[in-house]
Amino acid sequence: MSHYILAPQINVNDEEMVLIEWLKPAGARVRAGEAIAVIETTKSTADLEADREGVLTPLVDPGATVRVGERIAKLESGAMEESGALQEYGASAPTGADAPSPRPGEPGEAWTRRAQILAQRRGLDIETLQLEPEDGDRVTVADLERYLAGSAIESQGPVPRPTQAGPER
């Protein structure tokens, strides 16, 4: 039996949100209350939890903007054996371009997924930016925001000084 997970209403005034990342891959068996994705609204970032047990099928790609109430994942329930859940539902582990990016702390990625999404939103190629992580070995959103703030100051040039002349009479 299929059950759909809908984008929740997090903040009263937000009608849409961004799905930052899936915490579980396609075909993973999840339990009720288990965090399966990270979503971001204008005011907060939150974990999205499965509301029942099943085999996860994501319906939305990371970085996509979704509206409240939109279907973002499907859970297949039924006779799920731990060893045969993937074969039973026809899902397979993602490979190549479909494989999820490395989890935070894993080698092979120099930035977090959230930093990558922010860079994309600002029209920047994070791979070409000369960013140094302040804390740790991965570039975070805070590192990228510092870079963007510094770029804005540099692009404005020198600040003009006010003239000393008083008001005309």
Side-chain angles (χ1 to χ4, degrees):
M1 177 188 286
S2 296
H3 170 73
Y4 291 97
I5 296 176
L6 308 178
Q9 178 83 44
I10 303 282
N11 297 323
V12 174
N13 296 324
D14 286 337
E15 294 187 20
E16 60 184 26
M17 64 201 70
V18 176
L19 188 133
I20 300 296
E21 69 177 315
W22 288 104
L23 300 174
K24 298 289 183 177
R29 182 172 188 225
V30 297
R31 301 192 190 300
E34 187 173 5
I36 58 171
V38 177
I39 53 178
E40 180 179 66
T41 66
T42 57
K43 295 182 179 183
S44 64
T45 301
D47 287 344
L48 177 64
E49 297 178 353
D51 55 357
R52 60 181 66 185
E53 184 176 297
V55 174
L56 179 68
T57 303
L59 302 176
V60 176
D61 291 328
T65 300
V66 296
R67 296 191 59 77
V68 170
E70 183 178 334
R71 292 179 177 182
I72 58 175
K74 180 171 69 169
L75 290 175
E76 291 288 338
S77 61
M80 294 184 303
E81 296 175 25
E82 195 71 36
S83 62
L86 290 176
Q87 291 77 20
E88 180 179 339
Y89 293 99
S92 60
T95 59
D98 295 331
S101 60
R103 303 292 310 142
E106 289 183 2
E109 189 173 335
W111 51 83
T112 64
R113 180 74 179 137
R114 289 185 64 206
Q116 181 181 15
I117 290 169
L118 176 60
Q120 288 172 344
R121 285 184 185 163
R122 300 290 173 95
L124 302 171
D125 182 4
I126 197 165
E127 293 182 33
T128 61
L129 298 176
Q130 300 290 326
L131 298 175
E132 291 293 324
E134 187 169 287
D135 298 325
D137 57 308
R138 293 166 43 106
V139 173
T140 64
V141 170
D143 297 324
L144 186 58
E145 287 173 343
R146 272 191 299 282
Y147 170 82
L148 292 170
S151 296
I153 290 170
E154 291 172 10
S155 67
Q156 291 175 0
V159 177
R161 293 194 162 168
T163 60
Q164 295 296 324
E168 292 184 27
R169 297 181 199 225

